[in-house]
Amino acid sequence: MKKLRTLLLVVGLLFALTAGAQKPAGDPALAGLGRGFVSGTAHVNGTTLHYVRGGRGPAIVLLHGYPQDWTEYRDIMPALAKRFTVVAPDLRGVGRSAAPLDGYDAPNLAEDVRQLAQRLNLGKVYVVGHDVGGMVAYAYARLNPRTTRGAMVLDVPLPGIDPWDETTGRMWHIGFHQVPGLPEALIADRQAVYFRYTSFSDTETFSDADVDRYAAAYAKPDQLRAGFEFYRAFPENGEFNAAQRGRSDVPLVWAAGGRSPFADLGPEMAESLRAQGSTDVTTAVVPDSDHFVVNAQPEFVTRMIERHAS
């Protein structure tokens, strides 16, 4: 009897302790999208990708840039989900996706996304990419023309395609990010400060909470390294892009912010893409926007995507 009372006492104590524990809080960014959006992971191309999905209809895949994660698109996903199936993954190495040692070149990142689209049974997809994500979107369209309805590249020139060299040569951060090991050593535990200074200086567009959220997606050492691996893969991306000279009928849209360093590149980008074999190229300018067009002008970008992805 004494042993039974002791056992019951222990069980009661354990129950009291566990009853007071709280389940881990859900992702507030996911909750902010409203009903119908889910978060998941998929094992693809030798790694694991986290993604957020919602809506119904033809599929759109939204690829974020650096130093952002899937939440770059949170302001436009609910509107797009009224007409489309919307999928926004974290690129490998970022946020809740795994961070392997290699595989950060655009063609391999595109293969990550292709296998994710296949796993989710998305059919023919329209791919939108900003910054590094734009490089991936272009590689995706080149590698998968039969399963791509179109691609939109937002505010980024493409390595290996004019005018890449003349527009990026003056950008100090590219060379800095490409130095092996150095940026990791200098920026570790200072991500929010660095991101605010180099990327998110517009306090009207990016709150401190926004910066902290993006910094958290690159907080771990392997995540921080992964972000710089995107830049270290630019030469490899350039070799891939320069070699793509076959005919491609996948509709391409290249757009830049009106206040972006790339604002005036549209005509030259269109000429270069056509010279590479793309037969259907459209350019656009997102008014009153810097490099971060999705965050600065979400309604304009939503309408632009709806028009071309339909």
Side-chain angles (χ1 to χ4, degrees):
M1 182 64 70
K2 184 177 180 179
K3 290 184 179 180
L4 179 59
R5 285 198 301 268
T6 301
L7 178 60
L8 292 174
L9 179 62
V10 171
V11 171
L13 179 60
L14 290 173
F15 178 80
L17 290 172
T18 56
Q22 294 182 350
K23 295 181 179 180
D27 184 349
L30 176 63
L33 297 177
R35 297 180 59 183
F37 282 91
V38 298
S39 174
T41 58
H43 300 290
V44 295
N45 198 25
T47 190
T48 301
L49 290 190
H50 165 255
Y51 64 90
V52 172
R53 175 178 182 167
R56 296 180 64 183
I60 297 176
V61 178
L62 303 171
L63 305 177
H64 65 82
Y66 177 87
Q68 296 179 284
D69 63 355
W70 77 266
T71 63
E72 172 179 357
Y73 294 99
R74 66 177 187 163
D75 290 337
I76 73 173
M77 291 171 69
L80 291 175
K82 295 177 181 179
R83 296 174 52 185
F84 302 96
T85 297
V86 181
V87 176
D90 285 328
L91 295 177
R92 72 163 55 198
V94 178
R96 291 173 58 188
S97 289
L101 290 175
D102 54 17
Y104 294 92
D105 57 285
N108 193 63
L109 294 170
E111 178 61 14
D112 290 351
V113 178
R114 185 197 70 80
Q115 292 189 24
L116 177 64
Q118 185 178 48
R119 182 70 58 87
L120 298 179
N121 297 312
L122 297 183
K124 295 187 70 172
V125 301
Y126 191 89
V127 186
V128 178
H130 169 244
D131 189 75
V132 169
M135 300 180 189
V136 180
Y138 179 72
Y140 190 102
R142 271 295 185 174
L143 292 169
N144 307 287
R146 294 184 179 180
T147 57
T148 309
R149 302 199 315 279
M152 182 176 292
V153 178
L154 296 175
D155 208 80
V156 68
L158 298 170
I161 298 178
D162 290 338
W164 170 260
D165 290 335
E166 62 188 79
T167 57
T168 61
R170 62 181 181 271
M171 295 182 175
W172 66 269
H173 70 283
I174 293 180
F176 173 59
H177 290 178
Q178 290 175 334
V179 178
L182 180 62
E184 290 94 325
L186 297 178
I187 297 169
D189 300 323
R190 302 176 181 87
Q191 284 88 329
V193 175
Y194 183 72
F195 291 170
R196 173 62 89 182
Y197 178 80
T198 57
S199 299
F200 306 130
S201 60
D202 183 355
T203 56
E204 292 186 5
T205 301
F206 297 103
S207 67
D208 288 343
D210 292 329
V211 178
D212 288 343
R213 186 180 68 253
Y214 292 134
Y218 298 84
K220 298 177 182 178
D222 57 349
Q223 295 171 326
L224 183 61
R225 176 189 54 79
F228 299 130
E229 290 297 328
F230 294 142
Y231 286 81
R232 292 163 188 158
F234 284 179
E236 190 171 350
N237 295 350
E239 293 178 5
F240 170 82
N241 290 339
Q244 306 307 305
R245 292 191 169 273
R247 178 187 175 101
S248 174
D249 295 324
V250 176
L252 295 178
V253 177
W254 189 91
R259 293 186 281 106
S260 162
F262 311 128
D264 300 326
L265 298 188
E268 190 171 358
M269 283 298 308
E271 181 179 354
S272 294
L273 289 168
R274 291 179 184 123
Q276 294 289 123
S278 293
T279 62
D280 187 344
V281 181
T282 302
T283 62
V285 174
V286 180
D288 195 27
S289 174
D290 59 7
H291 173 62
F292 296 93
V293 295
V294 179
N295 306 97
Q297 294 292 339
E299 293 182 1
F300 185 96
V301 174
T302 297
R303 292 194 298 270
M304 187 167 61
I305 294 173
E306 289 175 337
R307 182 166 63 254
H308 292 283
S310 297

